[in-house]
Every structure is written in structure tokens, then in C-alpha cells.
Amino acid sequence: MEAGGLPLELWRMILGYLHLPDLGRCSLVCRAWHELILSLDSTRWRQLCLGCPECRHPNWPNQPDVEPESWREAFKQHYLASKTWAKNALDLESSVCFSLFRRRRERRTLSVGPGHEFDSLGSALAMASLYDRIVLFPGVYEEQGEIILKVPVEIVGHGKLGEVALLASIDQHCSTTRLCNLVCMPAWFSPFMFKIVMLRNDIHRCRASGIFLRLEGGGLIAGNNIYHNAEAGVDIRKKSNPLILCNQIHHGLRSGIVVLGNGKGVIRNNQIFSNKEAGIYILYHGNPVVSGNHIFKGRAAGIAVNENGKGLITENVIRENQWGGVDIRRGGVPVLRSNLICFGYSDGIVVGDEGKGLIEGNTIYANKGCGVWMMSSSLPHVTSNHVSYNGLYGVAVFSQKDGSSDFPGGHGAQENFSEDGDAILWETELEKDDDPLRRPVTTTLVESNSINHNGASGLYVQSSEALQVITNVIHANGDRGITVAQSSQLTRVANNSISCNRQSGVKVEAPCKVELRGNGIYDNRGHGVITKGDSTVVIENDIIGNRGSGLQLLPSSDTKVIKNRIHSFRAYGIAVRGRAKALVQENVIFQGKTNKTIFQQISNNQECIMQNNKFLVFKKKSDTWRLVNPPARPHLENSLRGPSVAHSGQKVAAMATRITARVEGGYHSNRSIFCTIL
């Protein structure tokens, strides 16, 4: 291939002598020349980038031997940062009447170091004007007093990175400052380097974290665009307590925000998206308030709480993340309240091994996996949530470990958080935990939730630990209402409304220990209850209007059926299949309208005992009956805390609209073009 009659190799050799302005002009000649200029990335663009005295290797200091994706792009970022800073130098002050004759003031360069005009940064700042440049020559500059930045200035280290060290406590009063090619450390008299107001900055392509807070650091970080950093966008630790407000934190190579080592902070109204690991990662007793954020399209979990992390996580929109919308493991004990967790490519909420916490009042909607996935070794309290239209189970409790502790896809466990010492050192700094929001739970508790229209069973249990399932509405799910596949300890299912599910209301496999008490099991398309469990108690339930049998006892089951009201439209009230052991006592059993018998026993089973049951038979088609004394179950002292499906749907829609409006309205896109921290 030739361009303009010369071979490309010869053109590349000629263009390799051009300076930056000439390269730009040549790229505008035609498309062929433009592509030719781009092809010089590893030759001329590399020379220009490394030849600039203020531009370091793009992968310094972590991987200085690794080539960047594009030398031209790396040089462009540095060039634009320098040009943007220079063009914003203000005009000289002058009288209004001479406004037409204003001219731009030339920026001064002030030199600091041995043999130069100033011997300290403080003395140079005292003489600096707007947008002046202060050059620090190689050496260590330890300021004995606090440095106050009153006007915007550029502070640049001269020489190789690492040759200029600045030990200072800096209080920034001006709107913006530019730092370049410096090693910054706090002064001996203060744990702070900056006193971290950071407004509307671009913070990007840092070789470690974009913003790092430690040793009780604080301040306001607001309206910044934080992206493409090698570690966390914002790293909060060692009792730091900043306000992180209305930032965009995205496309990080690790997590968006990390809070650990007793770090706190208020993280509010930020857009956190497209990060490689968790959008927000809380561990080692980190305890932030996370409110009103939009966390989406991450390649791992939206929020991960691990290694005894805490946090009050409220009214966030967490959507379209690759792994769990919220992932809680290894002693994590957050309060997760009133969040919208939706459209994830995996489960809505994952509570892994030894996960704990309060999961209350969340909308968990249209995730491709389960709504809530828990391991039975965890002890969460799952209450008053709306769990609907998820691809698999609404709520699932599993006993076996499935490799999930390996954090597939980057749940965050592989991050290195030991720069300040081993995690065990933080145990000595623990604050007294008297948080009333985290009441102790001795068994996994699923309480007062609305679980509806999920693709598989509303609740699936395969557990080796005790479980309480109380006062839930389990409605119109794509399989059974509740499936208990394994329950070596007692699973107690009490005072739930289980209705209109595509298969049976409840199915208990063998061997399982289950107690069904005080439930209303209505209008399911299969049987009301199927059991082959070796220790099942069915007591004081209303099992009414199901298309299959009201209660079906399968071979080898051992069941006590006491004080229930049982009815089936099309099948038997109670059907005993094979050699089932049962005590059927003091039940009211209604005949359906298909003229089938009320009770069916396949074989002469001596182990099935019938005592004191009441059978009601329809004599006329016009006969009607009501569940009056007592009224229809479930019975609660107050109304069901998990609202009816219709009312719950309205409430969920209103909450989703309110949260989304708050999150979307909190972000301000008019960021600064003045300051870039390199």
C-alpha cells in the first residue's frame, strides 16, 4: 500500500521527525493520512510522551514495563490537562472603562529549591498570583506551618517522579489547584495532607486509588468525575468520615468506593457504574451511610459487605449488575432498607456464608436469578420486602456450599487492603457496637414479605439449619408456593398466605422436619399441601379451593394433621398414597363440587389414624359455606405487616418512583474543567 506515491514505511520514517503541531495538521489532510498518523503510536507518539519532562510513563509506578493501550491517548490526556489549566488564567484586574483593552496576563514561573529564588513552598505561595506555576526542584520540602492556598496555582515537581517530596498540611481556600509529579505526605504536626473540599474535578487514570482517605480524614468530595483508576475510585479507611456527594464514579479497574478499617462516611446521591468489581465494597468494620445512590452496570456486585462490614444502606437504585445486586458474606451485618434492586444478571440479594444483617422494605424485582439467595449458615432477618418477577426462586435457602466463597467474577475478595498492616490490627480499634438496628437473630427469619410472580417457587428451602417463615404473602409464583427439599432442623411455616401459585401451595420432600401452622393455602393450581417428610406437622391451617387434593400424604411420610379446614374443588380433601403414617384428628373437611369422596385411602393402612374429624357434604348445588368461626386464616393480632398484593404493588411503584427521582435529581453534570489530578 502506498500513500501519495511513497511506501508506507518511508512515510512513517519521514513523519517520525515532525513535531506535535505538524502531526496534527497532517492528520487533517485526508483519511489515509489520518490513519497513517495513528499508526505511529508505538514510535513517534511514544517519543513525544516520554520526551515531555512533566509526563511520566503512563503505568508508573505499578507497571512501568507495561505498554499503555495507546501512547497517543496517554500523551493527549496530559497535554489537554496542561492546556486546560493554562487557558483558564484570569485577566489582569482593570477598571471597567478599560474592559475593551484588557489583555491576558502572562503566567509566571516561580522556582523553589537550593540556589533558586525561593527556598520553601510557603514563601513562593506568598508571592504567587492567579494561575502561576511553582516548580519544586529535587529535594524534600518539609513545611513547618500550615500552607494556605488562597489563589489557584500549579505546583510541579522537576525531575523524575520520586525526587520531589512535599511534607505539608495544606488548607485549600481557592476553587482549584493542580499538583503534578510530587510525592505528597502529611507534615509531622498533622495527620492530614489536605483539608479533601474537592468540587467538580476530573480524577482519572491514577495508578492506585483516585481519592485515598485515612487517619480520621474528612471533608467534602462532591460533583467530581472519578474514572479509570487502577484501584478504588474512593478509598476510605482508618476512621475517616467524609461526605461523598453527587459524584460520578465509573469504569474503575477495581471497586468504585471501598470503606474499611472502621472507615465511615456519608455516600449520597452518587452515580456509580461500570466498575470491574463491587460498586461499593464495605469490609473490616467499615460502617458508612449509603443513601440515594444509583449503582448500575457493574461487572460484579452492586454493593458487597464482607469481613464484618456494616453500613446503613437506604433508598438506593441498584440495577443491571453482573452478580448480586447486594452481596453479604463472612460476618457482614448491614442494614439494607428501602432499596430498589432490579434487572440484575444474577440474584437480587446474596447472603453467603456467615452473612447477617437486616434486609427490610426493599423492592427486589426482575432479576434473572433468585430474588434473595441465602446460605443456611447465614443469619439474616428478611422482612417486609417486595420480591417479584425474578427469574428463579423468590427466596431460596441452600445448605451446600457451591464455591460461592471464591467470589466469582470479582465480588471483591481478591482486593489487597493490607497496605496499612494486617487486618487483625484493626480488631483493636473496634468501637462499641450498640446499634439498635441490628437486633440479634438466632435463626434465619423470613417475615412479612410479599413474594409473587417469580419464575420458580416463591420460597425454596434446602437447609441444614433452623428456619422461620412467618406472615408472608406468597402469591402467583411460576412453580410451588413453598418447596422444602431438605430440612434437617425444623422449618417453621406460620401465618402465611399462600395462594394462586402455578403448582402446589406447599411441598415437603423426604426427609424433612416441617411445621405448617396457621397458614391460609388457597386457590393453587396443584395440591394444597404435598408431604413425604418424616416429621411434618400440619395444624390449624385453612387449605381451601386448590385444584388438586387439599392434602396429599405420600408413601413413607409421617404427618400429624390437626384442627385444619380442608377443601378441594376437583379432588379429594385428603388423599393418602401408599404406606403413609398419619394422625388425622379434629379437622373440618369439606366435600368439593365434583362428587368425589372427602377422604381417599389407597390401601388398608393401619398406621393412618382418623379421630374426631367433621365431614361436611354438599347436598345441593346452592349450598354455600363460609370460614367464619374462626375467620379465614392467616390470623394475626394486627393486620398482616406484609401488605396485600394489590396494595403492595401500588406502594412499590410509588417507592420506586420516589427513589429514582431522588437519585436522578441529585446528580449535577456541570463538572469543573479546571482541575485534573494526575
Side-chain angles (χ1 to χ4, degrees), residues 233-386:
V234 180
D235 189 313
I236 305 168
R237 60 180 70 190
K238 288 298 184 85
K239 298 186 180 180
S240 295
N241 191 17
L243 175 59
I244 312 295
L245 180 67
C246 296
N247 301 280
Q248 278 197 340
I249 304 173
H250 58 100
H251 291 95
L253 301 183
R254 304 297 284 271
S255 297
I257 298 177
V258 171
V259 187
L260 68 154
N262 286 323
K264 296 182 180 179
V266 175
I267 302 170
R268 181 178 297 159
N269 291 20
N270 300 279
Q271 299 244 356
I272 304 172
F273 59 96
S274 299
N275 294 288
K276 188 174 181 181
E277 295 179 1
I280 299 177
Y281 190 27
I282 306 169
L283 71 167
Y284 296 133
H285 304 280
N287 191 16
V289 174
V290 181
S291 174
N293 301 280
H294 193 178
I295 305 170
F296 61 102
K297 293 186 177 178
R299 292 169 61 184
I303 298 177
V305 186
N306 194 1
E307 304 293 353
N308 301 308
K310 300 178 184 178
L312 175 59
I313 302 168
T314 64
E315 296 195 344
N316 302 279
V317 174
I318 305 170
R319 66 174 176 87
E320 297 179 81
N321 295 286
Q322 292 290 332
W323 294 97
V326 177
D327 191 289
I328 306 168
R329 301 173 190 262
R330 294 182 180 176
V333 56
V335 173
L336 190 67
R337 178 177 289 152
S338 301
N339 300 279
L340 175 59
I341 305 171
C342 59
F343 301 113
Y345 294 98
S346 183
D347 306 311
I349 298 176
V350 174
V351 187
D353 191 20
E354 298 181 4
K356 302 177 183 178
L358 174 62
I359 301 171
E360 180 180 28
N362 302 281
T363 299
I364 306 167
Y365 176 83
N367 299 283
K368 290 189 176 181
C370 302
V372 180
W373 183 98
M374 297 182 283
M375 287 187 65
S376 61
S377 58
S378 61
L379 291 174
H381 183 179
V382 182
T383 180
S384 303
N385 301 282
H386 188 92

Side-chain angles (χ1 to χ4, degrees), residues 64-141:
D65 297 329
V66 177
E67 297 277 311
E69 294 183 4
S70 170
W71 284 99
R72 178 179 176 274
E73 185 64 24
F75 184 55
K76 174 184 174 183
Q77 292 294 332
H78 179 81
Y79 177 81
L80 289 178
S82 301
K83 184 177 179 181
T84 299
W85 177 268
K87 77 178 182 181
N88 284 289
L90 299 183
D91 295 337
L92 286 172
E93 294 184 3
S94 61
S95 173
V96 176
C97 62
F98 290 106
S99 59
L100 295 176
F101 302 99
R102 290 179 182 174
R103 62 183 180 84
R104 185 171 295 276
R105 179 183 61 82
E106 293 295 330
R107 288 202 306 156
R108 292 188 303 162
T109 298
L110 310 180
S111 300
V112 180
H116 295 275
E117 54 184 319
F118 299 100
D119 58 359
S120 68
L121 175 60
S123 59
L125 286 172
M127 301 298 295
S129 299
L130 294 169
Y131 292 93
D132 279 347
R133 189 183 205 203
I134 300 175
V135 178
L136 303 183
F137 283 82
V140 177
Y141 297 88

Side-chain angles (χ1 to χ4, degrees), residues 176-188:
T176 181
T177 296
R178 185 170 188 250
L179 306 179
C180 184
N181 200 36
L182 300 171
V183 175
C184 298
M185 302 173 63
W188 63 270

